[in-house]
Amino acid sequence: SLPHLIAYLSQNRFHELTVPRILGRLSARSLRRRSPLNRVSLVRMPVMMLHSTLDRNVPYRQGLMMAEALAKQGKNYQFVPLKGATHQLKREAERRVYFESSSGFFNKYLGGSLR
């Protein structure tokens, strides 16, 4: 949700650098209309979301909100929580989950093998 993201980022130390880049000249109405959370009905392809539970760039709760919206509309999606991980996926085990999950998703929906 773009409005939720802007509200979250506005509380952070460097909000003057991040928020204007996202917001630009968009009105609150335009921001809501462009928000992926409000456009779930338009999703036609399978969606994969990998989200770190300790992500400080985009709160984990926002990933859950998107997963819930996709589920509510019966969309084909996969949500993979990266427990204890930050946005940067600093540990090898976190990157392994990321790449293995991505590879499995791509193999399932694009066919062939990525190994």
Side-chain angles (χ1 to χ4, degrees):
S1 167
L2 293 175
H4 287 103
L5 180 62
I6 288 173
Y8 169 76
L9 293 174
S10 294
Q11 300 170 19
N12 293 340
R13 183 174 176 194
F14 298 107
H15 70 277
E16 292 176 359
L17 298 173
T18 56
V19 172
R21 288 190 327 207
I22 297 168
L23 187 55
R25 295 179 180 218
L26 296 175
S27 68
R29 181 174 183 256
S30 292
L31 206 59
R32 282 190 308 275
R33 286 182 36 223
R34 291 181 182 204
S35 177
L37 186 62
N38 297 324
R39 300 176 66 84
V40 171
S41 64
L42 301 175
V43 171
R44 303 282 180 256
M45 306 287 281
V47 173
M48 176 172 214
M49 298 186 316
L50 297 113
H51 205 127
S52 302
T53 59
L54 301 179
D55 193 326
R56 292 179 51 171
N57 293 29
V58 178
Y60 181 70
R61 176 73 191 124
Q62 290 193 29
L64 288 175
M65 289 168 54
M66 187 66 178
E68 290 166 1
L70 289 164
K72 188 174 183 178
Q73 295 221 4
K75 301 297 181 174
N76 186 358
Y77 77 98
Q78 182 177 353
F79 183 77
V80 179
L82 298 160
K83 295 179 181 157
T86 63
H87 187 79
Q88 292 79 18
L89 304 180
K90 294 179 180 180
R91 295 185 297 241
E92 182 181 337
E94 298 162 355
R95 291 189 300 272
R96 185 176 303 115
V97 169
Y98 176 89
F99 289 121
E100 287 176 356
S101 298
S102 298
S103 177
F105 183 83
F106 293 138
N107 285 338
K108 180 176 180 177
Y109 292 104
L110 298 178
S113 176
L114 298 178
R115 292 186 186 247

